[in-house]
Amino acid sequence: MQAGKPILYSYFRSSCSWRVRIALALKGIDYETVPINLIKDGGQQFSKDFQALNPMKQVPALKIDGITIHQSLAIIEYLEETRPTPRLLPQDPKKRASVRMISDLIAGGIQPLQNLSVLKQVEEKFQLTWAQNAIISGFNALEQILQSTAGTYCVGDEVTMADLCLVPQVANAERFKVDCTPYPTISSINKRLLVLEAFQVTHPCRQPDTPTELRA
Amino acid sequence: QTEILRPILYSYFRSSCSWRVRIALALKGIDYETVPINLIKDGGQQFSKDFQALNPMKQVPALKIDGITIHQSLAIIEYLEETRPTPRLLPQDPKKRASVRMISDLIAGGIQPLQNLSVLKQVEEKFQLTWAQNAIISGFNALEQILQSTAGTYCVGDEVTMADLCLVPQVANAERFKVDCTPYPTISSINKRLLVLEAFQVTHPCRQPDTPTELRA
């Protein structure tokens, strides 16, 4: 029986998908991408086939080791437990708590409030402000938290799951024209991370489904 | 001689996120002190300067333990799991752990944030109930389907896990927002089984230090 490569269901610009792409890249896991276009055909995430894979009708989803996992942080924690090096969570439980706290703040406290399906429920003229508010509230808190946790990166001096959440969220902030001047720590950590190879090769501008006009 | 202080939980009786952590503390037999944070009174006590210093997200719960303060309910629960490993709240098998986290994240990241107080306040009042209901219905539609492959007695197999700690408070929210749970028989039956367990009983919103008299059990 041929063991297939893991399959990642991803959208080039989905921040949640980007988190998982970075994890796979950092851990040197070769995978296949099946692009799910969130806009075309009324949104390919609503197809019967994809809904069977992920009943939440969201990307990312990862087929690996005979199972399908969704929810980006659940995927990353699974990768961490089954492919432990290089590590994405520190060894110390208190530092691990900081990593999860920051990751949950972004993945649970900011991104869901400004994702496509929520924005569609807001009157069009208010959508931008809504998204900006979600990001600003979260970044106000995150900037404060990073004062006590950050070293080179979000938690200390090694790349962790928190950093995998930060960079895509900053990209969202830029897309929604959020002024990041009030967030110098977030901005400088983001800058440092963006030069790393795993963040470069997984960037939305370099994906199989990146539209030509947005390609790097 | 240093006095060893009990952990302190900043909690609101009706906050589903706080309830998750209360259940974890109860299951692990961890004695703690509650500092109630009333999300409505005084314009919302979560906005006080003192509380904001504790949790810059201005949300409950927050837990002071072992000399640190943690917020985000699942980060708290995972910390408790790693430092007080018995009884376990996550299975040993990585694939089952993934299912537990997937379900927990679906609820804690995919449903609850969309229907919490601060988001609802941004929606026009006449639409708030529908908004909350839609968030829960979308999530429960997905969850009911997922549970078909993961559930045993509880959400994932036959032991209580972090997923169950998320489920029960979310069902309570569903009831508060008058969501009809008839389309969710698996969610409903698991919820029923969990509610009779002591840890879910003693931590119930109707039995908290800050439960208003009229809502007290």
Side-chain angles (χ1 to χ4, degrees):
Chain A
M1 194 170 50
Q2 191 192 90
K5 278 193 290 184
I7 300 172
L8 178 69
Y9 298 81
S10 163
Y11 181 54
F12 78 103
R13 198 158 56 185
S14 146
S15 64
C16 308
S17 302
W18 192 3
R19 296 173 198 149
V20 174
R21 296 198 298 258
I22 301 165
L24 292 162
L26 282 168
K27 289 187 180 287
I29 299 167
D30 193 23
Y31 65 96
E32 211 186 296
T33 302
V34 171
I36 301 292
N37 194 309
L38 304 184
I39 322 251
K40 230 170 79 169
D41 308 330
Q44 294 172 345
Q45 69 277 31
F46 299 115
S47 77
K48 271 196 141 56
D49 284 342
F50 188 72
Q51 192 175 333
L53 268 174
N54 181 4
M56 273 301 262
K57 298 173 256 188
Q58 293 169 336
V59 287
L62 183 70
K63 261 190 185 167
I64 189 169
D65 303 337
I67 58 168
T68 302
I69 316 171
H70 48 90
Q71 300 296 330
S72 61
L73 301 188
I75 296 172
I76 293 167
E77 297 253 17
Y78 177 81
L79 295 176
E80 180 73 353
E81 291 182 350
T82 56
R83 284 95 174 145
T85 48
R87 46 183 340 128
L88 290 176
L89 282 140
Q91 244 169 314
D92 172 64
K94 291 181 183 180
K95 294 202 172 84
R96 290 164 78 83
S98 291
V99 170
R100 288 188 174 118
M101 202 165 76
I102 291 168
S103 305
D104 287 356
L105 189 158
I106 295 169
I110 304 179
Q111 193 280 337
L113 305 185
Q114 44 93 144
N115 77 12
L116 195 63
S117 53
V118 170
L119 286 185
K120 279 203 257 186
Q121 294 178 65
V122 177
E123 217 183 313
E124 197 170 344
K125 59 180 179 176
F126 296 133
Q127 283 178 6
L128 185 64
T129 312
W130 178 285
Q132 291 173 336
N133 285 343
I135 296 169
I136 289 166
S137 302
F139 274 15
N140 285 342
L142 182 56
E143 182 69 22
Q144 216 174 308
I145 290 160
L146 291 173
Q147 301 313 305
S148 27
T149 65
T152 312
Y153 305 118
C154 284
V155 178
D157 301 320
E158 304 294 326
V159 173
T160 67
M161 182 167 69
D163 301 295
L164 275 51
C165 294
L166 184 96
V167 165
Q169 190 57 59
V170 173
N172 276 357
E174 289 164 358
R175 247 176 62 228
F176 289 113
K177 310 190 207 313
V178 171
D179 175 17
C180 285
T181 325
Y183 317 118
T185 318
I186 291 174
S187 302
S188 54
I189 293 172
N190 182 64
K191 216 172 160 185
R192 265 173 240 136
L193 289 162
L194 274 175
V195 301
L196 302 176
E197 187 185 356
F199 290 78
Q200 286 279 324
V201 302
T202 57
H203 196 285
C205 69
R206 291 185 187 89
Q207 294 311 293
D209 58 328
T210 307
T212 326
E213 65 274 17
L214 297 172
R215 209 165 256 296
Chain B
Q1 199 182 11
T2 337
E3 192 191 287
I4 297 180
L5 301 165
R6 285 187 295 170
I8 299 173
L9 178 69
Y10 298 82
S11 162
Y12 181 54
F13 77 104
R14 198 157 57 185
S15 146
S16 64
C17 308
S18 303
W19 193 2
R20 296 172 198 149
V21 174
R22 294 198 300 255
I23 301 165
L25 292 162
L27 282 168
K28 290 190 180 285
I30 299 166
D31 191 26
Y32 64 96
E33 209 187 299
T34 302
V35 171
I37 300 292
N38 194 308
L39 304 183
I40 322 250
K41 230 168 79 168
D42 308 329
Q45 294 172 346
Q46 70 275 32
F47 300 115
S48 77
K49 271 197 141 53
D50 284 344
F51 188 73
Q52 192 176 335
L54 268 174
N55 180 4
M57 274 301 261
K58 298 174 255 186
Q59 294 169 335
V60 286
L63 183 69
K64 260 189 185 169
I65 189 168
D66 303 337
I68 59 169
T69 302
I70 317 171
H71 48 89
Q72 298 298 328
S73 61
L74 301 188
I76 296 172
I77 294 168
E78 297 253 15
Y79 177 80
L80 295 175
E81 180 72 353
E82 292 182 350
T83 55
R84 282 96 173 144
T86 48
R88 45 183 341 129
L89 290 176
L90 281 141
Q92 245 169 313
D93 172 63
K95 292 181 183 181
K96 295 202 171 81
R97 289 164 79 82
S99 290
V100 170
R101 288 187 173 117
M102 201 165 76
I103 291 168
S104 304
D105 287 354
L106 189 159
I107 295 169
I111 304 178
Q112 194 280 334
L114 306 185
Q115 46 90 149
N116 77 12
L117 195 63
S118 52
V119 170
L120 285 186
K121 278 203 255 187
Q122 294 178 64
V123 177
E124 219 182 311
E125 198 171 343
K126 58 181 181 177
F127 296 133
Q128 284 178 7
L129 185 63
T130 312
W131 178 285
Q133 290 173 337
N134 285 343
I136 297 170
I137 289 166
S138 301
F140 274 15
N141 284 344
L143 183 56
E144 181 68 22
Q145 214 174 311
I146 289 160
L147 291 172
Q148 301 313 305
S149 27
T150 65
T153 311
Y154 305 118
C155 284
V156 179
D158 301 321
E159 304 295 323
V160 173
T161 66
M162 183 167 69
D164 301 297
L165 275 51
C166 294
L167 184 97
V168 165
Q170 190 58 60
V171 173
N173 277 357
E175 289 165 357
R176 246 175 63 229
F177 288 114
K178 310 190 206 313
V179 171
D180 173 18
C181 286
T182 325
Y184 317 118
T186 317
I187 292 175
S188 302
S189 54
I190 293 172
N191 182 65
K192 215 170 160 187
R193 265 173 241 136
L194 290 161
L195 274 175
V196 301
L197 302 177
E198 187 183 359
F200 290 77
Q201 286 278 325
V202 302
T203 57
H204 196 284
C206 70
R207 290 187 187 88
Q208 294 310 295
D210 57 329
T211 308
T213 326
E214 65 275 16
L215 296 172
R216 211 166 255 297

